[in-house]
Amino acid sequence: MSKTKSNVMTDFVAPIAVLVVICVVMSALLALTNGATEPIIKAAELEAQKAARMEVLPGADDFLQVEIDGLPEAVTEVYQASNGAGYTFSIVAQGYGGKNTLKMAVGIDMDGKITGTKVLSHKETVGLGSKIETDESFYGQFPGQDAAYVSDLKNIDTISGATRSSNFYRLALTYAFEAYDLVKEAA
């Protein structure tokens, strides 16, 4: 009969060392992949944002970013059309999915009328709240309307079964109008 002796080095240290080496190599590969794809992803995001600005303010030719203090917390960026067609507002607001889950672009012309709205991302309930993005009878009611229309709840036709999502959308539009008023005062 032979007895096998347990060796601490081969039984415990070697497997741990192998796992550590595997983790280090995989982490390095992930870092390299991230470094290679990050500029491509960033460029695609910037292009998508520019396309959204052009969609919500179709009369614009190009945009200049406006820096102004005191904007509502939900307004992350303001752009002015270089040809004077109006402004676009990037909104990151609360949705039914929680804080900062509703991202939108809103265009407002120089007369204070909405030229277009676009949901960029959301975490609304699929099939109900997600209709804020897909139901043209909902989002189509806002172009041509002003701040007074948006602020009066009686004017808004909400989505049946998704009243909260509809109200979060309307609230995001009120943030855009608050920012619009600040930008117009500063101009």
Side-chain angles (χ1 to χ4, degrees):
M1 269 195 201
S2 87
K3 272 185 162 178
T4 51
K5 291 185 179 179
S6 176
N7 184 348
V8 172
M9 180 65 173
T10 57
D11 289 346
F12 296 106
V13 176
I16 292 171
V18 169
L19 288 174
V20 168
V21 168
I22 290 171
C23 288
V24 168
V25 169
M26 293 308 294
S27 295
L29 289 173
L30 284 172
L32 286 172
T33 302
N34 185 53
T37 59
E38 186 176 24
I40 297 166
I41 293 169
K42 188 71 169 169
E45 286 175 353
L46 291 174
E47 190 61 34
Q49 289 171 353
K50 184 176 181 181
R53 285 192 295 273
M54 293 298 286
E55 186 176 332
V56 299
L57 192 63
D61 56 354
D62 199 14
F63 296 94
L64 303 168
Q65 189 166 12
V66 176
E67 298 292 332
I68 189 165
D69 293 327
L71 290 173
E73 185 179 327
V75 178
T76 59
E77 293 179 321
V78 177
Y79 284 87
Q80 180 179 13
S82 55
N83 65 353
Y87 298 92
T88 65
F89 303 90
S90 297
I91 311 290
V92 179
Q94 178 171 339
Y96 190 70
K99 186 173 181 166
N100 298 334
T101 59
L102 177 59
K103 296 180 182 172
M104 295 176 57
V106 179
I108 301 176
D109 66 16
M110 297 307 276
D111 296 326
K113 307 269 188 195
I114 295 174
T115 57
T117 63
K118 180 172 179 71
V119 173
L120 303 173
S121 69
H122 64 82
K123 294 199 174 162
E124 305 302 301
T125 305
V126 175
L128 285 175
S130 64
K131 289 181 182 179
I132 62 171
E133 178 182 23
T134 60
D135 187 352
E136 188 174 355
S137 65
F138 174 72
Y139 67 78
Q141 68 185 308
F142 297 105
Q145 303 301 334
D146 60 10
Y149 177 88
V150 171
S151 65
D152 188 354
L153 289 174
K154 295 178 207 159
N155 293 330
I156 310 297
D157 289 331
T158 60
I159 298 169
S160 178
T163 305
R164 290 185 66 192
S165 296
S166 302
N167 287 335
F168 287 129
Y169 190 99
R170 185 197 61 79
L171 185 59
L173 295 177
T174 63
Y175 294 139
F177 278 113
E178 287 176 29
Y180 174 79
D181 290 340
L182 290 171
V183 170
K184 288 290 280 187
E185 286 176 18

